[in-house]
């Protein structure tokens, strides 16, 4: 492997690993804030115990997420220095704002929340977790706007051989970035909902703390159902944004090789990149792709052959990742509806509880697949249309990247083991016993 491929693999590994922690932080922080608000308003101890139990799992996830996120920003200097030189004025400014505003706010108030149980009033303590939840999601806005600029660069001029910031308001209002944020944000709440249901299911299977975990499970159903619908509806809108801004990615997502009016959508297909056609095409819906992309069954859709081979994204990975994301996204509301119909007697529905326990990883997989579509589907561009990934990599030797790749893989494996061990340990332990 060359420096480019190793650097891409290293960044992909680090990003996907970091994204184990991010969605749970975004969604669970809000759910815990709601639990504590219920406690402040009603004074019922069950909500206080829920806040403390789920809060402990949140803190474990939050801390390990910070550690894994730090190395990502270093890689822009070590592995992608030419990228940083070319677009640092724009990309760097967004990351700097994220760190100095949102990250410091959430880091400060999470400390106040952890250590302030006996020092702050109930309302002030509750305000702390709301600030953490809001700051975490604001942090995501800045980071995803930075990625959105790579997907749809706006507000810049090419000057002195590099991209320089020309219109910060255009960067902040980039519709592609906001669409990405909403899609990811809604997905994060699906993760949190299934996490609540899965851990609760583990205890309900053992008839442990039935009232406590029934309440938690029901909160998980509501959260996961609302946002699984929201992410599907918004995902349709985001796909139309992709159709207009990145038509090659759309063609790869649907394995469309030839430009076509009234483009069909195949329910079952398998692309053959070598032969530039689909080895399998079954159950086509006439005009289905045209309608989904442009709201018209007759709209023309560009096929992959419109672009030279070297300017096409890897088709198979993009296609399969998109199918995986959509398939899982369709499954989530169905599981939620099933759970809702059984909510009055959860303990007796052991099949449902087992399914929900083993469904915990599924929203994570859906989000990973979505990011694979976003990033692999953008290739060969690192900044769409203005800088190729091959031009962005640092002028370093292969052995240097190989060393850092192996080192980071070992570090992340260790952190991942810590995350699984700690979350499993404290999730199985359950809440603290009720005070006599």
């Amino acid at each position: 492997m060359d420096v480019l491929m190793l650097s891409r693999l290293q960044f992909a590994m680090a990003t996907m690993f970091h994204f184990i922690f991010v969605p749970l932080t975004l969604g669970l922080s809000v759910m815990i804030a709601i639990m504590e608000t219920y406690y402040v308003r009603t004074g019922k101890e069950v909500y206080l115990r829920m806040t403390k139990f789920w809060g402990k799992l949140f803190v474990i996830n939050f801390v390990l997420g910070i550690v894994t996120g730090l190395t990502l920003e270093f890689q822009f200097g070590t592995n992608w220095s030419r990228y940083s030189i070319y677009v640092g004025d724009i990309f760097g400014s967004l990351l700097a704002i994220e760190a100095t505003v949102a990250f410091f706010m959430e880091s400060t108030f999470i400390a106040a929340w952890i250590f302030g149980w006996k020092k702050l009033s109930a309302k002030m303590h509750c305000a702390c977790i709301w600030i953490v939840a809001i700051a975490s999601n604001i942090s995501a806005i800045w980071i995803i706007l930075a990625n959105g600029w790579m997907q749809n660069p706006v507000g810049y001029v090419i000057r002195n051989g590099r991209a320089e910031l020309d219109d910060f308001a255009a960067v902040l209002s980039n519709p592609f970035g906001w669409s990405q944020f909403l899609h990811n944000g809604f997905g994060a709440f699906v993760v949190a909902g299934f996490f609540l249901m899965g851990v609760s299911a583990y205890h309900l299977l053992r008839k442990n703390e039935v009232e406590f975990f029934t309440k938690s499970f029901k909160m998980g159903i509501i959260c996961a159902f609302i946002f699984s619908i929201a992410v599907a509806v918004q995902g349709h809108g985001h796909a139309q944004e992709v159709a207009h801004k990145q038509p090659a990615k759309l063609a790869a997502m649907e394995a469309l090789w030839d430009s076509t009016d009234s483009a069909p959508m195949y329910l079952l297909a398998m692309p053959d990149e070598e032969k530039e056609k689909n080895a399998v095409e079954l159950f086509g819906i006439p005009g289905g792709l045209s309608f989904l992309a442009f709201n018209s069954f007759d709209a023309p859709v560009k096929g992959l052959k419109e672009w030279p081979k070297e300017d096409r994204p890897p088709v198979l990975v993009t296609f399969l990742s998109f199918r995986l994301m959509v398939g899982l996204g369709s499954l989530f509301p169905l599981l939620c509806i099933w759970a809702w119909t059984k909510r009055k007697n959860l303990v007796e529905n052991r099949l449902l509880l087992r399914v929900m326990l083993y469904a915990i990883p599924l929203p994570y997989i859906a989000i990973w697949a979505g990011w694979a579509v976003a990033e692999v589907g953008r290739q060969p561009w690192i900044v769409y249309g203005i800088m190729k990934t091959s031009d962005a990599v640092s002028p370093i030797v292969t052995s240097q990247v190989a060393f850092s790749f192996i080192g980071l893989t070992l570090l992340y494996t260790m952190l991942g083991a810590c995350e699984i061990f700690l979350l499993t340990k404290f999730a199985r332990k359950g809440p603290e016993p009720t005070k006599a």
Side-chain angles (χ1 to χ4, degrees):
M1 289 188 190
D2 59 12
V3 171
L4 175 60
M5 181 52 71
L6 278 172
S7 294
R8 289 177 64 187
L9 287 175
Q10 177 178 304
F11 199 82
M13 180 273 297
T15 306
M16 291 182 75
F17 194 89
H18 179 56
F19 230 75
I20 293 174
F21 307 97
V22 173
L24 188 60
T25 294
L26 299 182
L28 191 58
S29 60
V30 175
M31 299 306 294
I32 293 167
I34 292 172
M35 292 172 191
E36 189 162 0
T37 302
Y38 269 116
Y39 167 64
V40 171
R41 294 187 65 181
T42 66
K44 292 182 179 179
E45 190 184 355
V46 64
Y47 292 116
L48 176 62
R49 295 177 70 223
M50 286 169 68
T51 302
K52 290 188 173 182
F53 172 71
W54 295 108
K56 188 178 294 182
L57 302 183
F58 167 75
V59 169
I60 293 169
N61 185 76
F62 181 86
V63 171
L64 288 170
I66 291 173
V67 177
T68 59
L70 291 175
T71 62
L72 287 175
E73 298 204 19
F74 285 114
Q75 289 181 57
F76 291 116
T78 55
N79 296 63
W80 304 102
S81 60
R82 285 171 172 156
Y83 166 82
S84 298
I85 292 169
Y86 193 71
V87 302
D89 282 11
I90 306 163
F91 191 81
S93 64
L94 296 170
L95 296 188
I97 294 171
E98 184 274 331
T100 53
V101 178
F103 178 68
F104 279 114
M105 188 159 65
E106 61 182 323
S107 301
T108 300
F109 281 91
I110 190 67
W113 187 77
I114 293 172
F115 299 108
W117 283 103
K118 296 181 180 177
K119 301 181 185 298
L120 299 172
S121 69
K123 289 183 178 178
M124 286 299 295
H125 192 267
C126 183
C128 288
I129 191 63
W130 273 113
I131 293 173
V132 170
I134 292 168
S136 297
N137 283 274
I138 291 175
S139 176
I141 289 175
W142 291 109
I143 292 171
I144 294 179
L145 281 180
N147 184 272
W149 186 83
M150 297 167 72
Q151 305 281 349
N152 179 43
V154 293
Y156 72 97
V157 293
I158 301 298
R159 189 161 47 210
N160 303 317
R162 54 201 291 270
E164 296 184 359
L165 186 61
D166 182 59
D167 185 350
F168 192 55
V171 176
L172 289 186
S173 59
N174 187 350
F176 201 102
W178 281 100
S179 183
Q180 277 190 301
F181 167 72
L182 291 175
H183 201 52
N184 276 275
F186 293 161
F189 282 91
V190 177
V191 169
F194 273 84
F195 185 79
L196 287 174
M197 285 191 283
V199 175
S200 300
Y202 172 85
H203 288 280
L204 291 174
L205 281 166
R206 289 155 180 77
K207 298 184 180 179
N208 177 39
E209 297 274 4
V210 172
E211 181 194 1
F212 180 102
F213 284 109
T214 297
K215 283 185 180 295
S216 299
F217 193 99
K218 288 179 180 177
M219 287 188 72
I221 298 175
I222 295 169
C223 177
F225 179 70
I226 291 172
F227 287 99
S228 62
I229 296 297
V231 77
V233 173
Q234 196 280 331
H236 171 63
H238 187 55
Q240 292 193 329
E241 191 79 24
V242 170
H244 285 93
K245 304 296 185 186
Q246 298 182 355
K249 179 188 287 184
L250 176 75
M253 288 159 59
E254 294 291 346
L256 181 71
W257 296 94
D258 297 296
S259 297
T260 313
D261 292 339
S262 189
M265 184 179 70
Y266 292 98
L267 299 182
L268 182 60
M270 182 54 65
D272 184 336
E273 293 190 60
E274 187 68 26
K275 296 180 179 176
E276 296 186 307
K277 67 175 188 178
N278 291 335
V280 176
E281 282 184 350
L282 294 172
F283 312 119
I285 301 173
L289 178 55
S290 291
F291 181 78
L292 288 176
F294 300 107
N295 292 327
S296 167
F297 286 102
D298 298 321
V301 182
K302 286 185 176 181
L304 287 159
K305 292 179 183 175
E306 291 285 336
W307 293 270
K309 283 188 176 180
E310 63 272 18
D311 286 344
R312 299 174 193 167
V315 178
L316 185 62
V317 174
T318 308
F319 174 83
L320 292 178
S321 299
F322 181 64
R323 287 293 188 278
L324 180 59
M325 176 186 70
V326 172
L328 289 172
S330 303
L331 174 64
F332 297 147
L334 298 177
L335 288 176
C336 292
I337 291 171
W338 182 28
W340 181 255
T341 62
K342 306 295 183 185
R343 68 189 186 284
K344 293 182 180 176
N345 196 8
L346 290 169
V347 175
E348 300 303 320
N349 287 280
R350 300 184 66 80
L351 175 60
L352 169 71
L353 296 176
R354 287 194 185 95
V355 169
M356 289 307 186
L357 173 59
Y358 292 112
I360 291 176
L362 297 183
Y364 288 99
I365 295 171
I367 286 184
W368 282 337
W371 274 109
V373 174
E375 299 302 298
V376 177
R378 192 185 60 218
Q379 300 304 314
W381 303 98
I382 192 168
V383 181
Y384 197 76
I386 67 171
M387 186 181 202
K388 288 193 172 181
T389 309
S390 55
D391 297 327
V393 72
S394 298
I396 53 180
V397 298
T398 304
S399 59
Q400 290 175 301
V401 189
F403 178 78
S404 62
F405 186 21
I406 294 170
L408 284 174
T409 302
L410 293 174
L411 173 65
Y412 284 168
T413 301
M414 182 184 71
L415 291 172
C418 286
E419 164 88 348
I420 293 170
F421 171 76
L422 291 173
L423 280 183
T424 304
K425 176 182 176 180
F426 287 101
R428 282 180 171 173
K429 185 179 178 182
E432 295 297 323
T434 307
K435 292 179 180 178

